[in-house]
Amino acid sequence: MTQERITTLLTENRSYLPPEHGKSSAWISGTEEARAICQRALEDPDDFWAARATQLIHWYKRWDKVLEADDAKHKYRWFTNAKLNASYNCIDRHIISGRRNKAALIWQGEKEMDVRCFTYQMLYTEVCRVAHALTSLHVKKGDRVALYMPMIPELVISMLACARIGAIHTAIFSGYAEGGVRSRIQDSKAKVVITADGVRRAGSIKPLKANLDPILEKCPSVAYVLVVQHAGVENVTMVKNRDIWWHDLVEDFTLDVDFPCASMDANDPLFLLHTSGSTGKPAGILHSTGGYLTYAAHTSQWIFDMRDDDVYWCTADMGWITGHTYGVYGPLSLGATTLMFEGVPTYPKPDRYWRIVEKFRVNILYTAPTVIRSLMRMGDDWPERYDLRTLRVLGSVGEPINPEAWEWFHNVIGAGELPIVDTWWQTEAGGAMISPFPYASKLKPGSASFPLPGIDAVVMGDAKKDGEDVSHENTKAGHLVIRKPWPGLMLGVYNDEEKYQSYFKRFGYFDSGDGAEIDEDGYFWILGRMDDNINVSGHRLSTAEIEAVLSKNQYVSEAAVVSMPHEIKGEAIYVYVVLKDGVEWTDDIRKALKDAIRKNIGALASPEYIQFVDNMPKTQSGKIIRRMLRKIAGNVYDDIGDTTTLAKPEVIDEIIHGHKNVIEGKPEMAKRYDEPEQEEAKPEAEAKEEKKA
Ligand code: PRX
C-alpha cells in the first residue's frame, strides 16, 4: 500500500462496527453495556473493583479496604490485608473446578515437531517440583530469582514456582547482552538465576549460560544458577557449588508431592520487571500480587472476550510485561489455554504464525504492529495457504498500529470481519488501559479507542507544572495522564523512590510519558513517547542508556541518540557523535560504537545510522537540543524550529548536510562539513557566455 493510500485512510476516518456474530454471548456485548460499566466504575470505583476481584480471584482472606490511597505520596494499596497466592489462582483452583485435564500451556518449539503440552494437572506437578527445587536452594518468600531464559515452558513453570513460594521473579529478556543482564541482576540482588544452555534464534543457537558466566563475576548476590538443557549447546561450563542442571535437581523431587502455596498479602510483590527509565539506569517496576492479578484477569477476560474453550496466543516474549500479563497471569488465572512459541515469525518461512494458528486452531491472536508489518510485506500468499477460520479476536500492542497494517490484519488475517483490539498500556500499568472491547466498540484503525472502565485517562497541556486538562479540546495533542489509580498500577520502583515519584511530579497524577490526542468522537490516538524513550519494534529503549554506553568510548566527546521513523520497526535509532579534539572519524570507531551497544544492551538497540558531527545544536547554556536532531534524523529539514536561539546556528546546516550523506550511504562525505564555495559574482555577459557553452 502506498503512502497516498495511508493518508487517504487517515483522512477518511474509516470506522468498523463490531461483528454481530458472537456478540450475544460476549462478556461485553454492546456499546451501551460498555458505557454503563464505565459509568459504574467511575461513580463507585471501590464497588466496581471489589466486584471484579470477587468474581475473578480466589482469596484466602478478604480485604479490609478496597483501596488505601495516600495521594500526597502517590501510594496506592489495593485490597489491603487480603491474602492470596497467584500460583494457586493460576493452577490449583482450576484443577478442582473441572479443568484438571484441560490444556493450560501449549508450547511450539522453533522446530516444527517440538511440541509440548501441559494440562493444568501437569503444570501443577511441574510447578510444585520446581518450587521444592528452589526451596532446596534456600529461596524464600521475598527473595529475588532472575529468569534469563528462552521462550520455553520452564520459564512459565519458574514464574509460577516463584509465585508459589512468594519469591519475586525478575525476567530478563534473553536478547539482552552483558550490560543489560548485569545491571538487572545487580539491581534485583537475585539469589538464584535460572537460565538455559542456549537459545534458538532463526536456525542458529546462541549461548545463554556462557554469556552469563562473566556477568556473574560482578553479581555477588547470586548463590546458585539453575541451567535448563534446551538447545543442545556442547561443553557447557558448570561452576562447582554454584551451577546445577535443572534436570538433575528437579528430578530429585517426586511427582506427587504438593508444594503448599504461601499465603501472600495482596500488596506483597509478585514480580519485578525492568523497563527503560529516563536515566541511563533501567527502572525496576514492582507489581503487587492482589491488584496486579485482579487487573490481569479482568482485562484478559474483557478485552479478548476470553472464553473457556478458546485457544489463546499472545506472541510476546515473557521477558516483557505483555508476556507476563497476557501470556501467563491473565489467561491462566482465567483457566484458559495459552500458547507459547519459541521461534520467530519468519523462520524457516514467513508462514510460521499462520501455520501455528491452523495447527492449534487458535481463536485469539495478540501480536505487535512490527510483526504485522513485516508479515504483510511478505505478501498475502503466505496466510492464504492456511485455514485461519478459527480466529475470532485479533489484538495489537506495543506501538501505534498504522492504518495500513491495521487494514491488512483485519482484511487478510481477519477475513474482513474480525475485530482488532488495539491495546495501549505499559510496563508500569500492569495491564491494558486504553482498548476497545471486541464486540462492543466501533473501531477506528490506528486508534486504541477508549479508556477501559476505571481508567481516568485525560490529555493534559504542556504547562510546566500542573498542566491543564485539554481533553475536551478536540485534536489538541498533549500528555496522556491517568488521574485515578487502578489495581494494575505498579507498587513502586525497586529501591528507587525518587524514580517512582518522578511519574507524578509534573501533573500530580500518573504521567504515562506518552502523547495523545482525542478526536471529536472521543477516540484516543496515541502519538508515542514524549520523554527520551524510543520504541523500536515495540521494544522500549532509553536514549539515555544508549548514550551512556557511547560516552564510555575513549574517542567520544558527546553522543546524542534520537528516534527516526522506520517502515517496519516503527521507530529506529539514529546516533549523532562528536569525537574528541584531534580524533579523526574512522569506520573502526563506528564499528566499535555499534559493538559496544550490542554488547552492553543487546542487538535490539543497534543503531540504524551513526553520524559524526563537529558540533551538536546547543542552547546558550550548553544543552543539546535533541528535538532538532530528531527532526533532521526524520528528514524534516524545513521545520527544525527556531535556530536563532542556538549558540551556533550554523551547526544545523552542517548536520543536515552530513545526514543527507549518511542516509545515502556516504558517511565519509559526512564526517566533515565544508562550506559550499560561494560563487563569485561574474559580469552578466561572461555568465551568459558560459551558459551558452
Ligand atoms: O509508547 C507506548 C507504547 O509502548 C510504551 C510502553 O512500553 P512497555 O512498557 O515496554 O510496554 C509495552 C507493552 C504494553 C507506551 O508508553 N505502546 C504500547 N502499546 C501501544 C503503544 N503505543 C501505541 N499504541 C499502543 N497500543
Side-chain angles (χ1 to χ4, degrees):
M1 230 186 272
T2 59
Q3 185 61 40
E4 198 180 80
R5 172 111 172 84
I6 298 170
T7 317
T8 318
L9 279 174
L10 278 170
T11 46
E12 268 183 12
N13 217 354
R14 247 179 230 208
S15 57
Y16 293 81
L17 289 169
E20 282 306 316
H21 181 70
K23 205 169 177 175
S24 57
S25 53
W27 284 105
I28 312 285
S29 61
T31 318
E32 282 318 310
E33 189 182 356
R35 213 168 274 152
I37 291 172
C38 287
Q39 191 59 29
R40 210 180 85 217
L42 196 71
E43 282 166 7
D44 194 345
D46 278 13
D47 184 60
F48 175 76
W49 291 119
R52 289 303 276 160
T54 308
Q55 284 158 13
L56 297 165
I57 301 297
H58 175 90
W59 304 87
Y60 298 140
K61 176 181 170 284
R62 229 178 130 78
W63 47 89
D64 294 339
K65 260 184 116 177
V66 176
L67 171 66
E68 214 166 85
D70 181 343
D71 283 321
K73 292 191 179 140
H74 312 297
K75 287 283 151 69
Y76 303 102
R77 297 296 174 247
W78 288 88
F79 311 116
T80 53
N81 298 323
K83 303 282 181 218
L84 77 161
N85 184 287
S87 189
Y88 183 91
N89 272 282
C90 288
I91 310 174
D92 305 40
R93 65 170 166 155
H94 305 310
I95 293 175
I96 51 180
S97 67
R99 296 192 183 102
R100 182 186 291 277
N101 293 317
K102 176 179 175 178
L105 176 68
I106 299 173
W107 178 77
Q108 169 68 64
E110 186 174 270
K111 292 188 191 162
E112 178 71 41
M113 300 310 283
D114 273 355
V115 174
R116 292 163 74 190
C117 182
F118 296 79
T119 61
Y120 274 96
Q121 174 64 46
M122 290 160 82
L123 192 60
Y124 166 83
T125 304
E126 292 308 317
V127 168
C128 285
R129 294 172 86 192
V130 175
H132 277 295
L134 289 174
T135 308
S136 76
L137 302 180
H138 314 294
V139 173
K140 301 184 303 294
K141 182 175 170 177
D143 287 341
R144 275 78 58 216
V145 176
L147 311 176
Y148 180 49
M149 300 174 79
M151 280 285 279
I152 51 177
E154 285 79 359
L155 174 49
V156 177
I157 292 166
S158 299
M159 290 164 84
L160 294 168
C162 287
R164 208 164 181 90
I165 298 171
I168 302 166
H169 58 74
T170 177
I172 303 173
F173 175 53
S174 63
Y176 276 131
E178 203 178 310
V181 180
R182 184 187 296 122
S183 63
R184 284 164 172 79
I185 297 178
Q186 285 175 342
D187 188 49
S188 64
K189 296 201 175 51
K191 201 174 194 176
V192 170
V193 181
I194 308 181
T195 189
D197 55 350
V199 48
R200 291 183 200 279
R201 284 255 159 79
S204 63
I205 293 171
K206 302 251 185 296
L208 269 191
K209 172 64 170 61
N211 281 355
L212 192 64
D213 286 334
I215 293 169
L216 292 185
E217 283 167 19
K218 291 194 183 144
C219 298
S221 65
V222 177
Y224 296 103
V225 179
L226 200 52
V227 189
V228 180
Q229 200 167 39
H230 166 64
V233 175
E234 286 175 8
N235 303 323
V236 176
T237 313
M238 298 293 275
V239 175
K240 208 166 165 220
N241 297 330
R242 189 196 72 183
D243 301 350
I244 308 157
W245 285 109
W246 170 287
H247 52 266
D248 284 344
L249 185 70
V250 175
E251 247 175 35
D252 281 352
F253 298 96
T254 49
L255 296 173
D256 58 352
V257 177
D258 173 50
F259 188 100
C261 293
S263 175
M264 304 298 289
D265 190 276
N267 288 290
D268 279 335
L270 175 61
F271 65 84
L272 174 62
L273 187 64
H274 289 84
T275 189
S276 299
S278 50
T279 61
K281 185 173 159 271
I285 305 300
L286 205 55
H287 277 292
S288 72
T289 305
Y292 169 82
L293 199 67
T294 302
Y295 201 67
H298 154 76
T299 48
S300 296
Q301 187 183 60
W302 282 1
I303 62 179
F304 297 116
D305 190 49
M306 214 176 273
R307 303 179 201 163
D308 225 9
D309 51 358
D310 280 327
V311 175
Y312 161 84
W313 181 21
C314 163
T315 67
D317 193 286
M318 301 301 170
W320 309 111
I321 189 70
T322 309
H324 283 57
T325 305
Y326 297 118
V328 180
Y329 288 112
L332 293 183
S333 60
L334 293 177
T337 298
T338 186
L339 198 141
M340 182 182 193
F341 174 44
E342 180 189 17
V344 295
T346 46
Y347 179 83
K349 294 195 197 120
D351 63 349
R352 207 62 208 279
Y353 272 26
W354 321 128
R355 221 183 157 76
I356 292 173
V357 169
E358 182 182 288
K359 184 171 175 179
F360 298 103
R361 304 289 191 265
V362 173
N363 306 104
I364 304 168
L365 173 64
Y366 187 38
T367 192
T370 299
V371 173
I372 299 167
R373 285 192 291 265
S374 66
L375 293 177
M376 175 173 77
R377 255 194 160 187
M378 301 292 169
D380 298 359
D381 308 0
W382 295 105
E384 276 167 6
R385 288 178 201 173
Y386 295 91
D387 183 354
L388 307 179
R389 283 174 302 174
T390 50
L391 287 172
R392 68 180 182 87
V393 177
L394 303 174
S396 167
V397 63
E399 39 174 331
I401 179 165
N402 49 311
E404 180 196 12
W406 196 102
E407 288 271 332
W408 185 82
F409 203 27
H410 175 75
N411 288 324
V412 178
I413 307 306
E417 284 179 351
L418 300 191
I420 299 176
V421 285
D422 176 0
T423 62
W424 173 82
W425 58 297
Q426 42 194 200
T427 308
E428 296 86 341
M433 291 190 284
I434 301 183
S435 169
F437 293 122
Y439 295 96
S441 316
K442 190 167 147 186
L443 303 171
K444 291 190 184 186
S447 163
S449 77
F450 309 107
L452 288 170
I455 301 296
D456 184 19
V458 292
V459 173
M460 289 198 153
D462 209 9
K464 281 262 177 296
K465 246 183 107 217
D466 304 339
E468 88 283 24
D469 182 358
V470 296
S471 303
H472 307 294
E473 299 174 36
N474 294 333
T475 66
K476 189 157 178 182
H479 299 260
L480 183 46
V481 170
I482 318 294
R483 288 190 300 198
K484 282 203 180 82
W486 65 102
L489 175 64
M490 63 181 155
L491 268 181
V493 178
Y494 195 61
N495 286 336
D496 196 346
E497 180 60 18
E498 198 183 332
K499 171 70 196 160
Y500 177 74
Q501 291 300 332
S502 73
Y503 287 91
F504 300 88
K505 208 166 174 180
R506 191 163 192 174
F507 299 101
Y509 307 118
F510 177 79
D511 179 4
S512 70
D514 276 357
E517 207 173 283
I518 304 178
D519 72 13
E520 60 284 3
D521 300 322
Y523 283 70
F524 281 64
W525 297 79
I526 311 296
L527 304 172
R529 301 291 308 187
M530 292 182 96
D531 56 9
D532 60 1
N533 282 192
I534 296 186
N535 199 330
V536 180
S537 300
H539 299 152
R540 185 167 147 194
L541 299 165
S542 148
T543 53
E545 200 179 339
I546 303 169
E547 285 171 9
V549 172
L550 295 168
S551 304
K552 282 194 189 131
N553 182 287
Q554 56 176 325
Y555 302 121
V556 170
S557 164
E558 278 180 305
V561 173
V562 298
S563 68
M564 57 173 276
H566 189 281
E567 213 184 316
I568 302 289
K569 300 177 187 174
E571 281 183 303
I573 294 170
Y574 195 98
V575 173
Y576 296 90
V577 171
V578 178
L579 293 174
K580 286 186 180 150
D581 265 356
V583 179
E584 272 302 312
W585 170 86
T586 65
D587 234 348
D588 284 347
I589 299 183
R590 181 201 306 282
K591 190 170 171 304
L593 295 178
K594 277 201 173 182
D595 287 350
I597 295 173
R598 292 176 88 92
K599 186 163 179 240
N600 281 283
I601 303 176
L604 72 171
S606 216
E608 210 67 15
Y609 297 104
I610 297 181
Q611 179 180 346
F612 294 95
V613 295
D614 288 340
N615 297 290
M616 296 282 186
K618 287 187 177 172
T619 56
Q620 301 288 349
S621 59
K623 197 168 174 270
I624 299 178
I625 311 191
R626 287 177 174 72
R627 185 171 20 95
M628 293 185 178
L629 292 173
R630 200 177 309 125
K631 287 266 170 77
I632 298 174
N635 297 333
V636 186
Y637 304 141
D638 53 0
D639 182 25
I640 301 283
D642 182 9
T643 55
T644 56
T645 55
L646 294 179
K648 290 186 189 169
E650 67 278 10
V651 303
I652 292 296
D653 282 343
E654 292 173 20
I655 296 173
I656 290 177
H657 166 83
H659 175 258
K660 286 179 182 162
N661 282 297
V662 166
I663 56 172
E664 279 172 22
K666 296 185 285 186
E668 66 286 356
M669 301 289 290
K671 61 180 174 170
R672 287 288 175 265
Y673 173 74
D674 300 317
E675 282 283 320
E677 273 175 32
Q678 292 288 324
E679 272 192 45
E680 267 179 44
K682 291 182 179 158
E684 209 175 319
E686 210 180 308
K688 264 186 193 163
E689 277 307 309
E690 244 182 48
K691 211 173 175 186
K692 262 193 228 164

